[in-house]
Amino acid sequence: MKKRIGVLLSGRGSNFEALADSVAAGRIPDAHIAIVIANREGTQGIERANARGIATKVIPSRGLEREAYDRQIVAVLREQQVDLVCLAGYMRLLSPYFIQCFPQRILNIHPSLLPTFPGLESQRQALEYGVKFAGCTVHFVDENLDAGPIILQAVVPVLDTDTSDTLSEKILREEHRIYSEAVKIILDGRFKIEGRRVIQLANQAAHR
Amino acid sequence: MKKRIGVLLSGRGSNFEALADSVAAGRIPDAHIAIVIANREGTQGIERANARGIATKVIPSRGLEREAYDRQIVAVLREQQVDLVCLAGYMRLLSPYFIQCFPQRILNIHPSLLPTFPGLESQRQALEYGVKFAGCTVHFVDENLDAGPIILQAVVPVLDTDTSDTLSEKILREEHRIYSEAVKIILDGRFKIEGRRVIQLANQAAHR
């Protein structure tokens, strides 16, 4: 049985596309993107999912209280029998209700070396702070912003000539690479969590 | 005329030794360690400086108000005509008075990828947070803890098998490397500061 992935996005969804490419190429084996959900109308991510023939759903979040909205999302994810939820540029905090419905089964990718530069415009934050290395982080999602246990990170150098655009582009290439790798690790169950540390296991021993 | 370096330390001073080695080997050319000052009696750093025939001074800080103490230190540094002050495991915040006496001429090294994990036991903080990369930072010193503009950083991977000791050791090797490199850049004047970004300049144009 293929593992079923649900993707949530709010925008262009380039990380969704990277995941879809990895599934198609077998880099994430025995997996299937069951559904792509957007919280707004007219996102590029949904267009691209449609173009790939992947099931999509738009559930507008505007004006809804967080948990009320999340209950709609969770209902769709359950209906689709999703094993793993991947956020890909999803611009909402999840409610405790949502988190509890998918324990250790919700991932996010963030364009910084967390815990530095959480929140918006991390690449600009990194440049303005003057760090010499930046990067990205795949982590489990909890109720706090960009705060759950870290599965993988990747590092890129910040050059004196870098702008927010060139830095974002370098980081994005790494995002696409490590998000797929992290999804594979989690779907394989090849990990355990000790405190906040996510430890990779050599073979399919693990966890569930 | 050789550039004169003053080193402040509170303990074993391994970064002082790395600087002394680099000066001796010509990796920091045309420089001289003029004085090593400790704020406590009986530090390994002072012993090691003495063994190398470098001038030392112990000025106990206990019980003194910050600026009163710093005035003593600054007097010694001025008497020694120091061009650059390097903190090497110096466990005190500097007063605004001290900072103003050596504008952009005080460096520190910290065993984390600042701005993450400032303060004490950064390596343990990194392990407990579960980051996948750690490192070290050479930065200008201002009145805040581990907060001035960053000159150089180095990255090391955090392995699942790492302990605080193994991680500290890996980071320390990088500290010894980049501290010397940063001192060379600053003594050469090959940099400018834009906002918080320290930009390296190709040749001796720059700055002063």
Side-chain angles (χ1 to χ4, degrees), chain B residues 56-84:
Chain B
T56 61
K57 187 140 193 155
V58 177
I59 308 179
S61 57
R62 181 170 294 198
L64 283 178
E65 184 270 330
R66 182 169 297 154
E67 185 174 320
Y69 180 72
D70 282 356
R71 285 184 181 272
Q72 295 185 37
I73 301 281
V74 166
V76 173
L77 294 171
R78 283 185 166 157
E79 183 186 289
Q80 293 289 333
Q81 299 183 288
V82 157
D83 298 293
L84 184 68

Side-chain angles (χ1 to χ4, degrees), chain B:
Chain B
M1 269 276 287
K2 289 192 173 181
K3 296 286 173 57
R4 296 173 66 80
I5 300 171
V7 175
L8 306 190
L9 52 77
S10 304
R12 65 184 170 153
S14 87
N15 274 299
F16 149 64
E17 288 217 284
L19 291 177
D21 286 344
S22 292
V23 168
R27 288 190 299 273
I28 305 175
D30 302 319
H32 172 68
I33 298 183
I35 183 86
V36 177
I37 305 174
N39 70 315
R40 347 178 138 131
E41 301 283 353
T43 58
Q44 243 185 344
I46 290 291
E47 276 174 36
R48 289 173 182 187
N50 286 333
R52 286 169 183 263
I54 295 173
T56 61
K57 187 140 193 155
V58 177
I59 308 179
S61 57
R62 181 170 294 198
L64 283 178
E65 184 270 330
R66 182 169 297 154
E67 185 174 320
Y69 180 72
D70 282 356
R71 285 184 181 272
Q72 295 185 37
I73 301 281
V74 166
V76 173
L77 294 171
R78 283 185 166 157
E79 183 186 289
Q80 293 289 333
Q81 299 183 288
V82 157
D83 298 293
L84 184 68
V85 179
C86 292
L87 311 187
Y90 184 63
M91 306 300 278
R92 293 176 58 83
L93 276 177
L94 305 192
S95 60
Y97 168 79
F98 193 153
I99 309 288
Q100 283 153 26
C101 290
F102 292 91
Q104 291 178 14
R105 288 291 176 275
I106 310 172
L107 306 188
N108 184 38
I109 184 142
H110 182 80
S112 81
L113 292 172
L114 291 173
T116 22
F117 311 132
L120 295 177
E121 295 196 59
S122 303
Q123 302 94 334
R124 192 184 50 72
Q125 289 184 59
L127 276 179
E128 288 183 357
Y129 195 91
V131 293
K132 300 303 183 185
F133 292 93
C136 50
T137 302
V138 185
H139 62 93
F140 287 108
V141 173
D142 65 16
E143 291 92 3
N144 300 309
L145 180 65
D146 302 326
I150 291 170
I151 300 159
L152 288 177
Q153 294 184 302
V155 175
V156 304
V158 180
L159 306 181
D160 289 345
T161 51
D162 267 325
T163 62
S164 196
D165 283 347
T166 61
L167 182 59
S168 297
E169 199 177 303
K170 279 192 285 191
I171 292 173
L172 196 61
R173 277 197 294 273
E174 293 301 302
E175 289 176 45
H176 294 170
R177 183 176 64 79
I178 68 171
Y179 207 176
S180 295
E181 203 180 317
V183 167
K184 184 175 183 316
I185 291 166
I186 302 308
L187 285 180
D188 286 352
R190 290 187 291 111
F191 69 100
K192 61 179 177 177
I193 302 184
E194 291 179 355
R196 285 189 54 92
R197 288 178 83 174
V198 181
I199 311 282
Q200 284 190 48
L201 301 174
N203 44 36
Q204 307 222 358
H207 194 80
R208 46 179 182 169

Side-chain angles (χ1 to χ4, degrees), chain A residues 5-11 13 16-17 20 33-39 43 45-50 52 54-59 76-77 80 82 86 88:
Chain A
I5 300 170
V7 175
L8 307 190
L9 53 79
S10 303
F16 149 64
E17 288 216 285
I33 297 182
I35 183 85
V36 176
I37 305 174
N39 69 316
T43 58
I46 291 290
E47 277 172 35
R48 289 174 182 186
N50 286 333
R52 286 169 183 263
I54 294 172
T56 61
K57 186 139 195 157
V58 177
I59 308 180
V76 173
L77 293 170
Q80 292 289 335
V82 159
C86 292

Side-chain angles (χ1 to χ4, degrees), chain A residues 64-120:
Chain A
L64 282 178
E65 184 271 328
R66 180 169 297 154
E67 183 173 321
Y69 179 72
D70 281 357
R71 284 183 181 275
Q72 294 185 39
I73 301 280
V74 167
V76 173
L77 293 170
R78 283 185 165 155
E79 181 187 292
Q80 292 289 335
Q81 299 183 291
V82 159
D83 297 293
L84 184 69
V85 179
C86 292
L87 311 188
Y90 184 64
M91 306 300 280
R92 294 177 57 82
L93 276 177
L94 305 192
S95 60
Y97 167 79
F98 193 154
I99 309 287
Q100 284 153 24
C101 290
F102 292 92
Q104 293 179 11
R105 286 292 175 273
I106 311 174
L107 306 189
N108 185 38
I109 184 142
H110 182 79
S112 81
L113 291 173
L114 289 173
T116 21
F117 310 133
L120 295 176

Side-chain angles (χ1 to χ4, degrees), chain A residues 68-200:
Chain A
Y69 179 72
D70 281 357
R71 284 183 181 275
Q72 294 185 39
I73 301 280
V74 167
V76 173
L77 293 170
R78 283 185 165 155
E79 181 187 292
Q80 292 289 335
Q81 299 183 291
V82 159
D83 297 293
L84 184 69
V85 179
C86 292
L87 311 188
Y90 184 64
M91 306 300 280
R92 294 177 57 82
L93 276 177
L94 305 192
S95 60
Y97 167 79
F98 193 154
I99 309 287
Q100 284 153 24
C101 290
F102 292 92
Q104 293 179 11
R105 286 292 175 273
I106 311 174
L107 306 189
N108 185 38
I109 184 142
H110 182 79
S112 81
L113 291 173
L114 289 173
T116 21
F117 310 133
L120 295 176
E121 297 196 61
S122 303
Q123 301 94 334
R124 193 183 50 70
Q125 289 185 58
L127 276 179
E128 289 184 355
Y129 196 91
V131 292
K132 301 303 183 185
F133 292 92
C136 50
T137 303
V138 185
H139 62 93
F140 288 107
V141 174
D142 64 18
E143 291 92 1
N144 300 309
L145 180 64
D146 302 325
I150 292 170
I151 301 160
L152 289 177
Q153 294 184 302
V155 175
V156 304
V158 179
L159 305 181
D160 289 345
T161 50
D162 267 324
T163 62
S164 197
D165 283 348
T166 60
L167 182 59
S168 298
E169 199 176 300
K170 278 192 285 189
I171 292 173
L172 196 60
R173 278 197 294 273
E174 294 300 303
E175 290 177 42
H176 295 169
R177 181 175 66 78
I178 67 171
Y179 208 175
S180 295
E181 203 180 317
V183 167
K184 183 174 184 315
I185 291 166
I186 303 307
L187 285 181
D188 285 353
R190 289 188 293 110
F191 69 101
K192 61 179 175 177
I193 303 183
E194 291 178 355
R196 286 189 53 91
R197 289 179 83 174
V198 181
I199 310 281
Q200 284 190 49

